[in-house]
Every structure is written in structure tokens, then in C-alpha cells.
Amino acid sequence: MGRLASSMLPRISVVIPTCRRPELLQRCLDAVLAQRIEPGACEVIVVDDGHDEATRAVVTALQARVPRGTVLRYLRPEHGRGPAVARNAGWRAARAGLVAFTDDDTVPERDWLAQGERAMRGEPVPAAVAGAVRVPMPRRVTDHARMTEGLARAEFVTANAFVRRSALQKVGGFDERFARAWREDSDLQFRLMDEAGPVLRCPQAVVTHPVREVGWGVSLGQQRNTFFDALLYKKHPLRYRQRIRRVPPWHYYLVVLAAVAAPLLAWRGQRTLAAAAGALALLLVIGMAVRRLAGTSRAPSHVLEMLATSALIPFLSVYWRLRGALHFRTFFL
């Protein structure tokens, strides 16, 4: 369990969910355990969502050399899987009144905790504070790197958030229906704003989120995230349209309709209309690929990936959006 000699409760509980990424967790924990904060002020809770022995070994090894007064704990959720489940298990086990959330693929700066704690003492008294996420761009900028860079512009992400434990208790924590790392943080933000108090920003509390290497076509798998957009929309329709997406992605629907219409029109002998529908779908796909390539690598493999995935993304996105709308029984496009 780490060093539990001190009878004093910590002021901050750092909760880090992780899932089978021991090398990234090691890097994150090294940064968290090196924080400029007095001994005994914080505890660190690693929640192993992957039930992974390599992850346990990383934590066990670090427990033997944590700074004096710091407690490093290892948990596995008893029921369920996913980041919302893991974070709930972490904050519910926390002993401090202030919970700091980050992810296993971040590297907090050395004054991260001190700056976040200071911001939580501000006026008006906040229920939560969102820190800043810095995303250094790699030498070879890809579409995935640009997507990751979006974390730096997000209003509130659990890669860097400080929340009062009492506020988490008041709103019931994370909604565990968000089974992927997507929109569960926005849902928490909106519920905190409605039920617990202001959610402020602290640009001085910084974590770095390096861009990870990913496989070809990662953007295709990411379309499944939009299933949970439907849940967020159902719970917060006005805020979703104001803060997340003002209008549905009509161009995706148009690509799908045009692509489906082209062979049907050809089968009915309306070749001119069929050609027009096919050309429209093709132009929309090429336009999407060009936008995604703007300011990114022109390596042949990356260009081919953008062309191929741009042709598939509209179909996958529309599928998951409509499936989410049906599953959560909400009129969501």
C-alpha cells in the first residue's frame, strides 16, 4: 500500500486510471511523485482497469521508493470496466477532500498539484478547476497528432482536472454508461455546473500529453465514440449544441445518401443522375481528405490513409450516431 505511517489525511488525492500501458504509467507516476508539494500532502491512487499484472508490478516497485509521507495505492475496480468506472473507484477510495484527475499517458509539470490546489481556493469557490493540457507536435505532423492537439483546446478534460470530493458525491461521480474515454468528462462538467458550483480554469496547472504512435486507420475506430455523443446530447441537449457541436455533420449524411443513391439510380436506368450522385460523393470525400491533410505530413502512406479513411468515415460515423440515437432513445443526428 505504500507508506501509511502518517495518521494525517492528505489534502489531495491523485487518481490515475490505466489500462495495460505500464510504460506510460511509469512515466506518469515518475512525474506525479516528483511534484513540488510538502510531504504528506497527497496520495496517489492507480486504478487498474485492465487487471494487468505488469501494471501492478510497476506500482509495487514504485511503492518501495515513494517520497517520504506520500502514499501510493493500487486498486482494481470490483465491477465493470471503462474509464468512468475506474475514476469512480478511484475518487470513492480517496481520503482527501480534493481529487486531482489525470491519465496514464500524461506528464504533469512539477508544480501541477500546487497550482491546481491554489486555484481551488479562488473566488468564487469552484466545484472544479480545469488545468491546461500541452500537446507538443511531433516532427512529422499527422492527422492523429492534430486530433490529439484538440485536448489543448478542450474546456474540461479528466486528463487534467481538480474536483472537490464533496462535489463528486453530490452529482454521483461519472456516468458509467460512457464506456469509452469520450464525453464522460463533458457530462461531469455540465452536471457539476448545474448542481455543485462553478467550473473554472487554471492555465498554470499544466500536464503534457505527448502524441502517441498509433496504427494505420486509427480514425476509423474512433468513429465509435460518436455512439456516446448521443448519450451526452440526451442528457444536455442545449449545452451539447452550444459547446460541442452546433449542427449535425450534414456532409457525412450527404456522402452516405449520394453513395447509396448512385447504384440505385443506375439500376433504374437513370445514368446521368447516378453519375451526378457518385461525383458528389467523390468530391465531398476528396474535400474532406484535403482538409485533414492541411498542415500535416505529405508522406505517401499518410496521404493514402487520409484518402481511404475519408471515404469510410462518413459511413461509420453515421452508423454509430444513429445506433446511439436508437440505443439511448433520443432524436440525435
Side-chain angles (χ1 to χ4, degrees):
M1 284 281 288
R3 300 177 184 178
L4 296 168
S6 174
S7 61
M8 296 180 61
L9 291 177
R11 299 197 309 270
I12 310 172
S13 295
V14 181
V15 172
I16 308 172
T18 187
C19 187
R20 298 182 179 274
R21 301 195 294 198
E23 297 84 4
L24 294 178
L25 177 65
Q26 174 84 54
R27 183 184 66 184
C28 178
L29 285 173
D30 286 343
V32 170
L33 295 174
Q35 291 292 296
R36 294 192 186 100
I37 194 166
E38 61 268 29
C42 80
E43 65 175 353
V44 182
I45 303 171
V46 174
V47 188
D48 182 5
D49 189 41
H51 295 211
D52 176 44
E53 289 307 312
T55 297
R56 187 199 293 271
V58 166
V59 177
T60 300
L62 283 174
Q63 284 173 334
R65 56 183 180 88
V66 294
R68 186 174 177 225
T70 300
V71 176
L72 175 59
R73 303 163 62 189
Y74 173 88
L75 298 177
R76 286 183 178 180
E78 293 183 6
H79 306 286
R81 292 288 181 91
V85 170
R87 293 189 185 102
N88 278 340
W91 75 259
R92 286 171 180 150
R95 297 182 299 148
L98 175 60
V99 181
F101 291 103
T102 193
D103 292 336
D104 61 3
D105 53 358
T106 70
V107 184
E109 293 196 354
R110 292 199 66 188
D111 61 348
W112 171 61
L113 288 178
Q115 293 288 356
E117 185 181 28
R118 185 176 298 115
M120 290 295 289
R121 299 195 194 107
E123 293 291 341
V125 177
V129 161
V133 180
R134 187 173 68 89
V135 182
M137 284 292 99
R139 182 179 60 83
R140 180 175 176 263
V141 178
T142 61
D143 175 68
H144 171 69
R146 289 289 185 217
M147 292 292 291
T148 304
E149 191 181 26
L151 289 169
R153 300 185 296 273
E155 283 188 15
F156 183 91
V157 289
T158 40
N160 188 359
F162 295 80
V163 190
R164 297 192 194 281
R165 193 173 188 277
S166 58
L168 288 163
Q169 290 173 324
K170 188 169 186 177
V171 303
F174 293 88
D175 186 335
E176 295 180 2
R177 290 178 294 174
F178 291 92
R180 291 167 69 93
W182 187 257
R183 302 306 190 204
E184 82 287 358
D185 40 15
S186 296
D187 172 62
L188 179 67
Q189 175 196 359
F190 298 159
R191 287 186 291 119
L192 287 170
M193 292 165 64
D194 289 339
E195 304 173 39
V199 176
L200 306 180
R201 295 190 63 82
C202 178
Q204 296 80 21
V206 180
V207 303
T208 297
H209 190 298
V211 176
R212 299 195 312 273
E213 291 291 329
V214 295
W216 190 95
V218 65
S219 57
L220 300 179
Q222 289 171 339
Q223 300 312 305
R224 189 175 180 181
N225 292 342
T226 57
F227 178 84
F228 298 103
D229 273 19
L231 176 56
L232 186 66
Y233 176 81
K234 180 176 182 176
K235 297 183 71 175
H236 314 278
L238 184 59
R239 283 206 171 103
Y240 182 90
R241 289 302 179 206
Q242 290 175 336
R243 296 170 180 259
I244 305 296
R245 180 183 280 276
R246 293 191 176 276
V247 296
W250 296 121
H251 58 299
Y252 286 178
Y253 289 97
L254 190 54
V255 169
V256 172
L257 287 173
V260 170
L264 292 176
L265 289 167
W267 177 69
R268 292 176 61 88
Q270 301 182 42
R271 295 182 180 179
T272 301
L273 288 176
L280 175 60
L282 181 61
L283 287 172
L284 288 170
V285 165
I286 292 173
M288 179 180 170
V290 168
R291 289 191 297 274
R292 295 172 69 200
L293 281 166
T296 66
S297 170
R298 294 297 191 275
S301 61
H302 186 243
V303 173
L304 288 173
E305 180 182 2
M306 292 302 97
L307 289 170
T309 56
S310 294
L312 294 173
I313 282 173
F315 296 88
L316 291 170
S317 178
V318 168
Y319 169 77
W320 285 112
R321 295 174 78 84
L322 296 181
R323 182 169 169 178
L326 290 171
H327 182 83
F328 297 113
R329 298 181 181 180
T330 182
F331 185 72
F332 175 72
L333 293 175

